[in-house]
Amino acid sequence: MKLVVSIAMSAGALLLLSAPVLAGDKHKSCEGKPCAKTQAATESKLLAATPRAEAPSLGPRDAPVTVEVWSDFQCPFCARGASLVDELREKYGDKVRIVFRHQPLPTHDNARLAAIATMAAHEQGKFWEMHDVLFDNQRSLERESLEKYARQLGLDLARFRKALESSALANYVDTEVVEAQRRGIAGTPTFFINGKAVMGARPLADFAQVIDAELKH
């Protein structure tokens, strides 16, 4: 059986470390059983879906585990989620495929342009390199900084600048946001494990418990 894990970055049976961010809300911790019950109820309403075929990805398409990652590059909890992706790749190797999705929240003024920048880098084969740089520099995501990172990564700067202004890439990111809304994903990070939504950045052990069980099936 193949396992599909979807991560929506800056929004289940796992322990919550960070609460989802609803439109207009600030990030905040979720403590106590009442909050856990509310979280479970919310997770049950989220819709799973087949990962977008053209989305940036790592790992073989026939990997037994697919991890779909929705993210906001300005979200601090999403940075934790990015570290988790690295840990999953290190632990499971080609048993895991990573598929990245975008969910820039309206409360983060530079998140949408940052998302477009990663897709501009993707056109030059450097999506994951830009992904890592942006999460390492979340306080500096304005256009000038994005162009600096592109230069540091050795991208064709003229092509990168043109892509930043491209309606095609802007539409790509905006379509991602629409899909997140359709699926009921309001905050980041959010994960779907084999069709089950899991909200928040979690320890590797929590994911490993679920993934290992699925790999045995």
Side-chain angles (χ1 to χ4, degrees):
M1 177 183 295
K2 288 190 177 182
L3 167 65
V4 176
V5 181
S6 172
I7 305 178
M9 288 192 153
S10 192
L14 303 179
L15 175 64
L16 179 67
L17 289 188
S18 62
V21 177
L22 302 180
D25 286 352
K26 296 181 179 180
H27 289 289
K28 55 185 178 181
S29 296
C30 177
E31 300 177 353
K33 294 181 178 179
C35 184
K37 291 181 179 179
T38 300
Q39 176 193 336
T42 301
E43 289 173 343
S44 67
K45 297 178 181 178
L46 302 186
L47 303 177
T50 301
R52 190 171 183 172
E54 68 271 35
S57 65
L58 286 172
R61 288 185 176 273
D62 61 350
V65 177
T66 296
V67 180
E68 188 187 20
V69 184
W70 294 80
S71 186
D72 176 316
F73 286 100
Q74 234 175 315
C75 166
F77 296 117
C78 291
R80 297 185 193 178
S83 296
L84 170 65
V85 167
D86 291 337
E87 293 173 354
L88 289 175
R89 287 285 295 169
E90 182 176 353
K91 180 176 178 64
Y92 293 102
D94 284 346
K95 292 181 181 179
V96 171
R97 180 186 178 219
I98 308 297
V99 180
F100 192 92
R101 307 296 298 271
H102 295 281
Q103 192 189 6
L105 300 178
T107 53
H108 293 156
D109 54 355
N110 291 321
R112 180 174 179 270
L113 184 60
I116 294 171
T118 62
M119 297 308 296
H122 183 49
E123 289 187 340
Q124 299 189 44
K126 294 283 184 77
F127 172 84
W128 294 102
E129 290 85 348
M130 182 65 80
H131 164 281
D132 292 346
V133 169
L134 298 193
F135 276 124
D136 287 341
N137 296 275
Q138 288 188 307
R139 295 181 180 275
S140 300
L141 298 178
E142 72 287 349
R143 175 156 181 157
E144 182 179 356
S145 292
L146 297 176
E147 292 186 6
K148 180 183 71 175
Y149 304 145
R151 189 181 301 109
Q152 292 172 347
L153 291 174
L155 300 183
D156 180 328
L157 195 56
R159 182 181 173 189
F160 178 80
R161 286 170 173 162
K162 184 176 181 180
L164 281 185
E165 299 169 357
S166 165
S167 60
L169 293 187
N171 289 339
Y172 180 98
V173 172
D174 291 343
T175 298
E176 297 276 85
V177 174
V178 170
E179 180 177 344
Q181 294 172 343
R182 180 186 65 80
R183 292 169 64 174
I185 304 167
T188 55
T190 297
F191 305 74
F192 292 90
I193 300 182
N194 205 20
K196 295 181 180 179
V198 180
M199 298 160 58
R202 314 294 176 84
L204 175 63
D206 289 339
F207 286 96
Q209 181 179 2
V210 179
I211 292 173
D212 290 345
E214 291 293 332
L215 288 174
K216 292 179 181 179
H217 290 169

